[in-house]
Amino acid sequence: MKKRTIIIVIIAIIIITIALLALFLYKNNKSNSQVDTTRIYDQNGQLIADFSNINEVTEIKENLSIQGIVEVHHNGYIYIFNGQHFGEYGFEMEEYTRANIDDKNQKCIDYVTSKEYDTRYIEEGDIVICKGDLTSYSIKNDDLDTKDNPIIVLKANDYNKMQHEAIKEERTAVVTIGEYFDFNGEIYLKYEISDKEYKLPFVLRFNVKEDNTNIKGKLEKGKKVKVEYKNPNISTEQLVLKSIEVI
């Protein structure tokens, strides 16, 4: 009987020990999970970094009109970029805005035909022109609430047609040097198209050293230029500069 009592006591002690250990581990994990990782302190307890408000709203602009090139239209949102990509590089333009837009099946109006569609009409490469409240954050892209305003959609094909017309000088456009890198001859030419009440710029990138371009004047950022291509009728990706003149 004594032996049995001793065994029962030992088992009870083991169970109590396991229970206390489990309770300790639970409280320790809970404490760790509640550690404030948004603030960093030094060894003396002095605050050295505060990330608690890192993604706070910095500005809200109401009833603002913006436009941008559609990069993504997927899973209930539309993301527009404020420029063009050239591989791993990009060129930003002040006429365009970077923003996320909730796809609420808003009414869409075609820029050229004025016909009405829903948001399924919006595709990557299109330009969208929107009006609404633009919310800016400290570390993320802006969000645009279009409210009940329709979205104007300039289809990529129509936008590309405008570009070709400008390149062939069939459409008026101001051409400036968006950026120039003398060390490698890389140049970004910005075409500024004005159509209706909108500005619809686009950018072409060249290497004037590789193209053996006839250069007249000093190439500098912001300078207006007149350009000539060896064959303006081919795709923009295959264009070769024949001459560029600062005016």
Side-chain angles (χ1 to χ4, degrees):
M1 192 71 177
K2 263 186 177 183
K3 188 175 181 183
R4 185 177 177 185
T5 303
I6 293 172
I7 294 173
I8 293 173
V9 171
I10 292 173
I11 293 173
I13 292 172
I14 293 172
I15 292 173
I16 292 171
T17 303
I18 293 173
L20 290 173
L21 181 61
L23 181 62
F24 171 78
L25 292 173
Y26 169 76
K27 287 185 176 181
N28 189 54
N29 289 336
K30 186 176 181 181
S31 176
N32 289 336
S33 66
Q34 293 176 342
V35 172
D36 183 4
T37 58
T38 64
R39 294 179 176 87
I40 299 176
Y41 298 87
D42 63 17
Q43 293 179 347
N44 299 317
Q46 295 296 317
L47 182 67
I48 58 176
D50 186 355
F51 302 103
S52 59
N53 295 318
I54 198 167
N55 201 27
E56 65 182 356
V57 174
T58 57
E59 187 178 17
I60 298 177
K61 296 179 181 178
E62 298 181 347
N63 297 318
L64 185 71
S65 293
I66 67 169
Q67 60 191 57
I69 300 174
V70 178
E71 284 211 327
V72 178
H73 182 192
H74 186 62
N75 283 347
Y77 80 98
I78 303 158
Y79 172 67
I80 59 175
F81 182 56
N82 59 334
Q84 293 175 224
H85 286 300
F86 295 91
E88 61 182 298
Y89 302 102
F91 188 93
E92 297 182 358
M93 292 174 269
E94 61 183 9
E95 293 85 355
Y96 296 138
T97 301
R98 184 194 303 241
N100 292 309
I101 304 167
D102 284 338
D103 184 347
K104 301 183 290 187
N105 204 28
Q106 299 96 318
K107 179 170 72 174
C108 295
I109 301 174
D110 184 272
Y111 179 90
V112 176
T113 66
S114 297
K115 290 183 178 179
E116 294 185 7
Y117 301 88
D118 58 28
T119 50
R120 289 175 295 179
Y121 192 59
I122 298 174
E123 300 175 299
E124 294 177 9
D126 296 345
I127 288 181
V128 295
I129 302 168
C130 319
K131 185 176 182 180
D133 293 348
L134 186 70
T135 302
S136 299
Y137 302 90
S138 51
I139 63 165
K140 64 172 287 187
N141 295 322
D142 298 346
D143 290 334
L144 182 76
D145 180 3
T146 58
K147 297 183 172 181
D148 296 323
N149 299 311
I151 298 175
I152 298 173
V153 183
L154 174 61
K155 298 300 293 180
N157 287 340
D158 293 321
Y159 183 42
N160 291 336
K161 182 180 178 182
M162 288 182 177
Q163 294 181 26
H164 285 290
E165 291 172 349
I167 289 167
K168 293 187 289 185
E169 298 184 347
E170 298 172 353
R171 176 184 288 269
T172 301
V174 177
V175 187
T176 58
I177 299 175
E179 197 66 74
Y180 176 63
F181 301 98
D182 182 61
F183 69 94
N184 64 358
E186 189 174 63
I187 190 168
Y188 292 80
L189 297 179
K190 181 181 178 183
Y191 279 74
E192 300 177 19
I193 298 174
S194 294
D195 189 75
K196 301 178 181 179
E197 70 266 37
Y198 304 107
K199 290 184 178 180
L200 303 167
F202 67 94
V203 172
L204 301 176
R205 183 178 69 167
F206 299 98
N207 190 300
V208 293
K209 290 184 178 179
E210 291 180 357
D211 294 342
N212 296 317
T213 308
N214 181 19
I215 301 172
K216 298 178 182 178
K218 186 177 181 181
L219 302 180
E220 293 179 328
K221 181 179 178 178
K223 292 283 188 178
K224 290 184 180 180
V225 293
K226 180 177 176 58
V227 296
E228 184 180 359
Y229 300 98
K230 293 182 179 179
N231 182 2
N233 297 308
I234 58 179
S235 67
T236 55
E237 293 79 12
Q238 296 175 309
L239 284 172
V240 177
L241 270 174
K242 182 178 181 181
S243 67
I244 179 169
E245 178 183 1
V246 177
I247 57 176

